[in-house]
Amino acid sequence: MSSNRLFITTPIYYVNDKPHIGHAYTTIAGDVIARAHRMFGGEAYYLTGTDEHGSKVAESAAAAGVAPQAFCDVQSALFRAAWDQLLIKYDDFIRTTDDRHKRGVVRFLQRLHAAKSPDGHPVIYPGTYSGLYCVGCEKFITEKELVNGKCPHHLKEPVKVTEKNYFFRLRSYSARVGALIEQGTILVNPPERKAEVLGLIKHGLDDFSLSREKVKWGIPLPFDSSQNTYVWVEALQNYITAPGYADDRERFDHWWTHGHVLHLMAKDILKFHAVFWPAMLLAAGEKTPHELFVHGFFTVNGEKMSKSLGNAIDPTAMVVTYGADAARYLLLVQFPFGVDGDIQAERFPERYNADLANDLGNLTSRVVKFCERIGGTVPEPGKLEAVDRALLVAGKKAVDGMREALEQRNLLAMIGAPMGLVREANRYFDASAPWQLQKEGKEERLRTTLYVSLEAIRVAAALLSPVLPTKSLDIRRAVGVAADRLEPTGGELEHLRALQPGAPVGIGDPVFPRIDKKGKAVDIQSPPSDADGQTETEGLIDIDDFGKVQLVVAEVIEAERVEGADRLLRLKVKVGSEERPLVAGIAEHYEPEALIGRRVIIVKNLKPATIRGVESRGMLLAAKKGKKLTLVTTDGEIPSGASVG
Ligand code: ME8
């Protein structure tokens, strides 16, 4: 097995549902892993697809008044369209109604049918399945599923049905599967899922029925055409029918037999993947998968996502609101990979603004715009100082951190590594204060600072490319990466690909425009007249937010102009005993000295912003008409720190 050759799969999704963010999460995760693996020089094959047989699909087709195949064609296309919109670069999309799949299933079942278990019994044997059957659901139902003895969906008592089926001799394989999992030959992660599977096996699992007599929409058993393959048994086989199990053994061996097979899924389908699937593969004489990563299961605003509740979040709607790159980012950063959680869509805008618009987008704008103003090319760096080297080393560490996170399938850390670098670059840029260097004529330091900042952005953007494929390209072009070097590579190559002084830099619209709480773009990142790429603080709060706004009296204790920005004053204000910095666009209306000692009203609980490299914590209130502006003040008895309401 070559771990450099990664075969990544998602579950194949049922076509009786529409794609929602649960499906999207797995599919984006697989895409990010595949892209990152390739970025670090590995070979990857990324497979997804749709599960199209079984009674549920047949019923949905009947309800829609169309033939099952026509129904599947339409529904499967919905998944592909969603994945296209989310920039999923799959290498293969398997449908269980594909001929290659049907041929592969027949072949696999023939193998199983001919096989003997290690204890000398046929692996497949006929038997009778006896159980409770809900005619409404057209499927077997367990005692546990009943509510007051009735099917919860149809409110009818099920009938006892006895059906002839074929069984798979799981009992002859489950201990062996357990041992493979225990010793890590089949890795099941996170560890609590491994414990869950081992618990199931220890508890004892019965042989399972691998065919259905009554379900007509499916693949007939090759040895008894009166029965169709049970949809679950058939679906698992997509993982081998796609790489060529039916008729391309070479390709099949390349990916399945000699690749590192990684199955992604949520915990709802763990037992099928961790026990049934390896057992069937062992019986058929094929390799078992190497790794199962079971990510978290999500609820939406505390509720299970379901068709009937109509609360499933449509990932393509997220693309419309945030753009594809940001939608991918927002879904992945919700929770650590592997952990369950509740998705609250109203938090998306906040996260978008904080991470993408402010940290990443604004840094890029500020640095590139500065370079544009002093020549429009990557500046030639001078002698590196400790601070410069520290940021370049942080870039190298981010590359290593990302590689390590990828190996651990820690998607949050894969994003955290470059985003940590972005935050460090922001601090470096602010602390280096290039506008100050320019004012003081320290030309070499200025060039070095800008070069090192651009370089940090280049590395961060390259590392973010698996998550933000198109924005990463935009950012790397903006900071001067040459067209023939845009394909990102990790590891050692990073420093060899450093930016070339003299390469053109340039940025148009913000890479991630700021948005309001409804996800609508707000034009506050468009630069003020001095074109420094900064945001104005006015306009951040909607009228319906007003109740949340904390207004307080603040006393101005320091005030000065911000160099190079005609409209900005840098203030220090006192709120009770606390001092805080604040940048205000009032320089055209007030002389700094005239403000000292004035008691003004500020918004206290505004998110901090960095304006012109100066932290601003709060916003002044002012009355404005045309070109006239007057600060709202409370000169008189009211002390600073008092609340305003
Ligand atoms: O089970 N949270 O298909 P399916 C996180 N056809 N992930 C979720 C999720 C949620 N709330 N809801 C769905 C099937 N998923 C079978 C699979 S494979 C051989 C056959 C994701 O359409 C997650 O990956 O119900 C989960 O395992 C999968 O969708 C189930 O998709």
Side-chain angles (χ1 to χ4, degrees):
M1 184 260 299
S2 159
S3 61
N4 212 27
R5 185 182 297 165
L6 189 60
F7 176 16
I8 307 152
T9 72
T10 71
I12 47 172
Y13 307 112
Y14 284 131
V15 286
N16 57 318
D17 208 350
K18 282 194 309 211
H20 60 58
I21 53 165
H23 308 122
Y25 183 83
T26 322
T27 314
I28 295 167
D31 187 52
V32 168
I33 292 174
R35 287 174 186 264
H37 185 76
R38 287 194 186 106
M39 185 171 82
F40 286 112
E43 205 187 344
Y45 170 43
Y46 180 35
L47 171 69
T48 186
T50 43
D51 192 353
E52 308 189 5
H53 287 128
S55 56
K56 274 205 279 191
V57 173
E59 278 164 23
S60 301
V66 289
Q69 185 63 61
F71 176 80
C72 292
D73 291 348
V74 170
Q75 293 296 109
S76 178
L78 287 182
F79 280 87
R80 263 171 302 150
W83 302 159
D84 288 349
Q85 287 184 53
L86 281 161
L87 310 172
I88 306 295
K89 211 165 91 185
Y90 51 78
D91 298 289
D92 200 349
F93 189 100
I94 183 116
R95 299 180 56 185
T96 54
T97 51
D98 285 348
D99 272 347
R100 59 174 171 158
H101 179 71
K102 293 180 191 166
R103 286 199 306 276
V105 168
V106 165
R107 193 180 176 141
F108 190 77
L109 290 172
Q110 280 165 336
R111 282 282 286 276
L112 289 183
H113 193 235
K116 290 263 173 29
S117 65
D119 41 358
H121 298 290
V123 167
I124 294 182
Y125 64 92
T128 31
Y129 189 96
S130 185
L132 299 171
Y133 192 78
C134 170
V135 184
C137 298
E138 277 233 63
K139 65 172 195 172
F140 288 100
I141 182 165
T142 62
E143 293 273 1
K144 273 195 221 147
E145 291 172 272
L146 301 181
V147 177
N148 300 328
K150 291 180 179 167
C151 160
H153 302 295
H154 297 91
L155 306 175
K156 280 193 189 142
E157 279 183 25
V159 285
K160 189 149 175 108
V161 166
T162 302
E163 190 183 295
K164 185 186 159 211
N165 280 166
Y166 288 89
F167 284 79
F168 176 83
R169 199 175 292 280
L170 181 64
R171 275 174 298 176
S172 301
Y173 292 94
S174 53
R176 174 120 176 262
V177 172
L180 292 175
I181 293 174
E182 184 92 62
Q183 76 207 29
T185 307
I186 302 174
L187 284 170
V188 178
N189 275 315
E192 55 272 29
R193 299 288 158 240
K194 175 174 175 177
E196 182 183 328
V197 179
L198 292 175
L200 279 175
I201 294 174
K202 211 163 155 201
H203 200 252
L205 287 165
D206 281 337
D207 295 348
F208 61 84
S209 148
L210 59 65
S211 63
R212 289 284 185 273
E213 196 174 37
K214 293 199 190 294
V215 178
K216 296 299 171 213
W217 178 237
I219 302 177
L221 292 182
F223 44 87
D224 182 347
S225 60
S226 72
Q227 302 255 332
N228 277 343
T229 316
Y230 174 38
V231 60
W232 252 110
V233 170
E234 181 228 305
L236 288 162
Q237 291 166 50
N238 88 87
Y239 301 133
I240 59 172
T241 62
Y245 183 74
D247 33 34
D248 191 346
R249 188 75 204 185
E250 201 182 318
R251 185 160 174 266
F252 172 76
D253 282 340
H254 182 88
W255 291 110
W256 186 269
T257 316
H258 304 305
H260 177 99
V261 177
L262 164 64
H263 292 316
L264 299 176
M265 78 208 75
K267 65 184 175 192
D268 52 339
I269 54 180
L270 175 62
K271 180 175 82 176
F272 295 110
H273 282 82
V275 191
F276 289 21
W277 180 225
M280 286 193 280
L281 288 162
L282 287 173
E286 299 297 349
K287 278 195 81 163
T288 48
H290 302 93
E291 189 181 351
L292 273 56
F293 199 102
V294 186
H295 68 68
F297 206 76
F298 308 130
T299 49
V300 170
N301 296 326
E303 311 227 43
K304 196 173 173 234
M305 260 185 282
S306 83
K307 249 187 181 175
S308 50
L309 284 172
N311 63 347
I313 300 176
D314 176 359
T316 58
M318 285 184 71
V319 172
V320 173
T321 308
Y322 304 103
D325 294 74
R328 293 160 63 97
Y329 182 93
L330 290 172
L331 282 179
L332 288 185
V333 296
Q334 292 299 309
F335 315 103
F337 201 54
V339 172
D340 293 346
D342 188 43
I343 301 223
Q344 291 167 350
E346 65 275 12
R347 295 220 187 120
F348 289 151
E350 195 184 315
R351 190 72 197 254
Y352 169 100
N353 281 337
D355 293 9
L356 299 176
N358 286 357
D359 288 348
L360 179 59
N362 207 24
L363 173 71
T364 309
S365 294
R366 292 166 71 199
V367 177
V368 173
K369 286 207 156 110
F370 213 115
C371 295
E372 279 179 0
R373 288 204 301 275
I374 62 159
T377 57
V378 174
E380 177 82 47
K383 198 168 150 286
L384 295 182
E385 291 186 0
V387 279
D388 310 318
R389 276 193 295 272
L391 189 60
L392 296 175
V393 167
K396 186 85 186 71
K397 281 193 182 144
V399 175
D400 295 342
M402 167 105 174
R403 192 192 285 109
E404 200 178 308
L406 170 64
E407 276 159 20
Q408 295 164 354
R409 315 287 177 231
N410 184 342
L411 269 95
L412 214 50
M414 281 168 71
I415 295 171
M419 286 308 283
L421 177 61
V422 166
R423 281 184 273 273
E424 223 164 310
N426 264 307
R427 284 193 292 272
Y428 166 88
F429 192 73
D430 290 344
S432 308
W435 48 91
Q436 199 65 29
L437 298 171
Q438 189 180 31
K439 185 178 137 200
E440 290 164 13
K442 294 182 176 158
E443 211 241 325
E444 184 184 332
R445 271 312 293 153
L446 175 63
R447 281 190 278 108
T448 308
T449 300
L450 292 172
Y451 181 87
V452 170
S453 304
L454 288 172
E455 185 53 19
I457 297 172
R458 177 190 70 82
V459 174
L463 294 179
L464 283 165
S465 69
V467 184
L468 308 173
T470 61
K471 297 294 183 179
S472 159
L473 276 179
D474 293 347
I475 295 172
R476 282 180 291 134
R477 275 195 203 102
V479 299
V481 175
D484 60 350
R485 291 181 157 219
L486 283 169
E487 191 61 38
T489 55
E492 318 69 59
L493 283 181
E494 282 304 321
H495 71 276
L496 299 177
R497 298 191 147 227
L499 290 168
Q500 299 300 310
V505 298
I507 194 162
D509 292 335
V511 192
F512 291 104
R514 282 185 66 91
I515 55 175
D516 65 16
K517 59 186 269 191
K518 295 189 184 77
K520 243 178 69 209
V522 287
D523 187 30
I524 60 169
Q525 215 184 21
S526 61
S529 56
D530 53 23
D532 65 354
Q534 295 308 315
T535 63
E536 294 186 45
T537 46
E538 287 83 4
L540 274 176
I541 291 172
D542 283 344
I543 190 79
D544 43 329
D545 281 334
F546 192 71
K548 294 187 206 155
V549 177
Q550 288 174 16
L551 298 174
V552 289
V553 177
E555 184 177 333
V556 180
I557 52 174
E558 283 175 23
E560 60 178 347
R561 292 186 181 279
V562 176
E563 194 57 42
D566 300 343
R567 292 158 56 188
L568 300 181
L569 288 188
R570 180 199 318 237
L571 309 178
K572 190 177 273 174
V573 298
K574 228 174 155 178
V575 181
S577 59
E578 183 205 347
E579 290 181 5
R580 45 164 85 196
L582 202 144
V583 177
I586 54 170
E588 289 160 334
H589 308 278
Y590 286 90
E591 287 303 321
E593 311 76 60
L595 289 169
I596 310 288
R598 302 288 299 268
R599 292 196 195 134
V600 293
I601 311 294
I602 70 161
V603 180
K604 190 182 170 199
N605 58 337
L606 197 64
K607 273 190 80 157
T610 303
I611 299 174
R612 273 277 168 165
V614 185
E615 194 194 9
S616 183
R617 292 173 45 224
M619 185 177 76
L620 291 181
L621 291 197
K624 202 171 174 186
K625 179 126 204 275
K627 294 201 158 171
K628 285 203 169 131
L629 178 145
T630 308
L631 285 174
V632 179
T633 60
T634 74
D635 298 335
E637 294 301 303
I638 308 285
S640 86
S643 69
V644 177

